[in-house]
Amino acid sequence: MARQERAIRTRRTILEAAAAVFDERGYTSATIGEILDRAGVTKGALYFHFGSKEELALGVFEEQLAIALPPQSSKLQELVDSGLVLARRLRSEPLVRASVGLALDQGAMDLDRTPAFRMWIDQNVQMLAEAKAQGELLPHVDVAETAELLVGSFSGVQLLSQLRCQRQDLERRIVVMFEHFLPSIAVPAVLARLDISTERAERVLAQGQVEMPVQGRVQVQVQEQVREQVREQAVPTQVSTGA
């Protein structure tokens, strides 16, 4: 167990270093050598967890969704909560900023950025599907199309906030987005009960510990065990420290 915890901490250190370098330099200009220097780990440690710079980017992508928020009786409230908490994390967590920055980095021509949006859209599809099953959505709402529209809207709003004021007003802008977006999909009685405010994220986080979902933690542990077995047999000896 101690070994697994150490591996998870090392993986986190590498991701935070990669996020910082990606955020400062952009994906194309960032090098594995810079990430190694920033993380303070060996080449073998990095390649134990991530086989390439692209795998590092995928790990950074996953961080924007790697938390579990307290459940709510309304699935639409959970949708709102996820958006407002993400807005808050974008302002306070470099790793999350790097994740969104990578996803929107049009200069990263050699990076497949679709997984970032696919994971985000899938998360929203699940919440909207559960909301529809509970009778919270208007009959005409198409869950998949709505999820894609929400992700696209959030992406544009946060980018505008970044350009205008380094995201200092992002929570307020996301509140405005939801105030315009939700009346077109929510049953009026449900809409009237939703808490859509700039202080909502702080209240949600105060309800309990926010952590990686159990499924995610197990997946990381299994991946580490498999990779450990492989690396014990053959550790890469000729890997470039460049891009």
Side-chain angles (χ1 to χ4, degrees):
M1 183 61 69
R3 194 172 184 179
Q4 286 182 348
E5 291 175 354
R6 185 165 59 251
I8 291 173
R9 286 197 301 270
T10 300
R11 183 180 188 275
R12 180 74 181 188
T13 297
I14 295 168
L15 279 177
E16 289 176 349
V21 175
F22 289 151
D23 197 31
E24 294 167 10
R25 305 259 293 147
Y27 177 80
T28 300
S29 298
T31 68
I32 292 294
E34 290 174 306
I35 294 168
L36 286 172
D37 290 342
R38 186 72 62 95
V41 302
T42 65
K43 186 189 302 182
L46 186 147
Y47 281 100
F48 174 83
H49 294 278
F50 304 98
S52 65
K53 191 169 76 170
E54 187 170 8
E55 281 191 21
L56 270 168
L58 182 58
V60 172
F61 285 153
E62 292 170 346
E63 283 301 311
Q64 64 176 294
L65 305 177
I67 61 171
L69 299 181
Q72 308 295 329
S73 58
S74 167
K75 294 302 176 180
L76 278 183
Q77 185 65 66
E78 291 185 6
L79 185 75
V80 170
D81 292 350
S82 69
L84 292 175
V85 168
L86 178 56
R88 180 182 173 128
R89 295 177 72 209
L90 270 167
R91 292 185 58 210
S92 61
E93 298 182 27
L95 215 165
V96 178
R97 285 199 299 273
S99 174
V100 172
L102 278 173
L104 297 176
D105 184 1
Q106 297 186 35
M109 303 301 294
D110 54 342
L111 173 65
D112 181 7
R113 294 173 288 141
T114 56
F117 288 100
R118 184 170 61 248
M119 289 184 289
W120 193 2
I121 290 169
D122 287 347
Q123 184 191 63
N124 284 325
V125 165
Q126 181 178 348
M127 284 186 284
L128 286 165
E130 292 174 354
K132 191 162 191 175
Q134 292 186 178
E136 298 183 44
L137 300 184
L138 296 170
H140 72 274
V141 174
D142 182 292
V143 167
E145 290 180 351
T146 302
E148 290 186 355
L149 178 60
L150 180 58
V151 168
S153 299
F154 190 107
S155 298
V157 167
Q158 72 82 29
L159 180 57
L160 178 61
S161 179
Q162 178 191 7
L163 294 174
R164 293 289 297 273
C165 60
Q166 293 299 305
R167 300 193 181 98
Q168 291 303 306
D169 64 353
L170 183 54
E171 285 101 324
R172 178 56 194 160
R173 287 182 182 272
I174 295 303
V175 165
V176 172
M177 181 194 76
F178 276 126
E179 287 175 343
H180 285 76
F181 184 85
L182 289 170
S184 66
I185 68 169
V187 171
V190 174
L191 180 64
R193 296 194 299 269
L194 296 179
D195 183 354
I196 312 170
S197 64
T198 54
E199 299 80 20
R200 175 64 185 177
E202 183 175 355
R203 288 196 290 271
V204 169
L205 295 177
Q207 290 182 28
Q209 183 177 0
V210 178
E211 59 182 11
M212 178 183 279
V214 173
Q215 181 180 2
R217 294 199 303 272
V218 170
Q219 183 180 14
V220 168
Q221 292 172 0
V222 170
Q223 289 173 343
E224 302 307 312
Q225 292 170 357
V226 172
R227 287 174 178 168
E228 182 177 0
Q229 293 172 0
V230 173
R231 297 309 194 276
E232 285 177 350
Q233 299 176 19
V235 177
T237 56
Q238 296 181 344
V239 182
S240 171
T241 58

